[in-house]
Amino acid sequence: MDVINSSFGGRRRSRDTRLPPGQTLVDDWPVLSAGPTPNVDESRWSFSIMTEDKVTHRWNWDELHEVGVEDIVTDIHCVTHWSKLDMAWRGVPFDRLFEDVETSYDYVMVHCSGGYTTNLPLEDLLEGQAWIATEAEGEPLSQEHGGPARLLVPHLYFWKSAKWVLGMDMMPSDDPGFWEQNGYHLRGDPWREERYW
């Protein structure tokens, strides 16, 4: 009688407990984009938040940095199944940007250069969970990775960390953005594998 014990099949690598289900670790940083890479110059870049009362809060490059930058070390998880751990970022927290924003709406639509959009609940941007990132791994963000500025929302799949971000509008309901209209989940929690509808 044959016996199959725990050593059958050779020695297995233990799985990193920081990897959500269905994810694989990578050492490089893959580049995935929905369209051509925009060329956005810092001198012409600005970021705005528009409320339901049509009040627009706007920061240019220097004004954004005057709000106060933070250093962040976090893991990122792409819906295409790769994860990268312990990435170093620098960015401005949304908690500070929203300090003077008066709104009763619970959702935002993010707008980016090139027309890309993505929707987010406001609660996923606050309480130290999200930033406008301008540096990664000690370097300014390259154009292919969303430079000069992108969202960083590391607790959601990385398509929510929109590249080439320009602004956001407050919304009363969770209307879908670009990928969400094309089959991706409205929220995108990697630990629940919220990949698609």
Side-chain angles (χ1 to χ4, degrees), residues 9 14 17 19 21 32 42 85 112-113 126-127 129 148-149 165 177 184 188:
S14 61
T17 57
L19 266 186
L32 301 170
E42 294 171 8
L85 305 183
C112 302
S113 181
L126 303 179
E127 304 294 332
Q129 299 183 95
V165 67
Y184 280 17

Side-chain angles (χ1 to χ4, degrees), residues 117-192:
T117 57
T118 192
N119 56 295
L120 285 154
L122 182 57
E123 67 181 9
D124 277 322
L125 294 177
L126 303 179
E127 304 294 332
Q129 299 183 95
W131 298 262
I132 295 180
T134 57
E135 295 183 22
E137 305 286 39
E139 300 287 340
L141 272 178
S142 64
Q143 286 183 0
E144 65 182 1
H145 285 300
R150 71 179 300 160
L151 257 61
L152 176 62
V153 192
H155 65 287
L156 299 179
Y157 281 125
F158 211 45
W159 90 79
K160 295 292 187 179
S161 295
K163 298 179 180 180
W164 312 294
V165 67
L166 297 176
M168 56 180 55
D169 300 336
M170 302 305 306
M171 300 193 297
S173 58
D174 200 10
D175 298 332
F178 176 81
W179 282 120
E180 295 82 7
Q181 293 177 38
N182 288 282
Y184 280 17
H185 196 277
L186 273 181
R187 183 158 182 265
D189 183 338
W191 293 97
R192 296 180 178 180

Side-chain angles (χ1 to χ4, degrees), residues 1 16 19 26 30 35 42 44 47 51 59 74 91 94 99 101 104 108 116 119 125 144 166 175 187 192:
M1 177 177 173
D16 194 311
L19 266 186
V26 297
E42 294 171 8
R44 293 181 289 112
F47 180 80
T51 71
W59 299 265
T74 190
F94 274 97
E99 282 179 352
V101 176
S104 61
V108 305
Y116 179 80
N119 56 295
L125 294 177
E144 65 182 1
L166 297 176
D175 298 332
R187 183 158 182 265
R192 296 180 178 180

Side-chain angles (χ1 to χ4, degrees), residues 79-81 157 159 182-186 188 193-197:
V79 70
T80 60
H81 298 278
Y157 281 125
W159 90 79
N182 288 282
Y184 280 17
H185 196 277
L186 273 181
E193 287 200 271
E194 294 175 340
R195 300 178 191 275
Y196 312 111
W197 295 340

Side-chain angles (χ1 to χ4, degrees), residues 51-122:
T51 71
E52 60 269 36
D53 298 322
K54 307 301 180 190
V55 175
T56 301
H57 301 260
R58 188 181 306 276
W59 299 265
N60 65 27
W61 187 256
D62 291 336
E63 290 166 342
L64 179 80
H65 287 81
E66 288 171 4
V67 171
V69 297
E70 292 181 349
D71 291 317
I72 309 112
V73 176
T74 190
D75 307 335
I76 59 173
H77 311 289
C78 182
V79 70
T80 60
H81 298 278
W82 60 263
S83 292
K84 190 170 174 61
L85 305 183
D86 294 325
M87 280 196 75
W89 299 82
R90 177 167 284 182
V92 176
F94 274 97
D95 290 319
R96 294 185 188 169
L97 295 177
F98 270 90
E99 282 179 352
D100 296 324
V101 176
E102 294 185 12
T103 181
S104 61
Y105 285 179
D106 294 326
Y107 302 94
V108 305
M109 181 64 76
V110 178
H111 299 277
C112 302
S113 181
Y116 179 80
T117 57
T118 192
N119 56 295
L120 285 154
L122 182 57

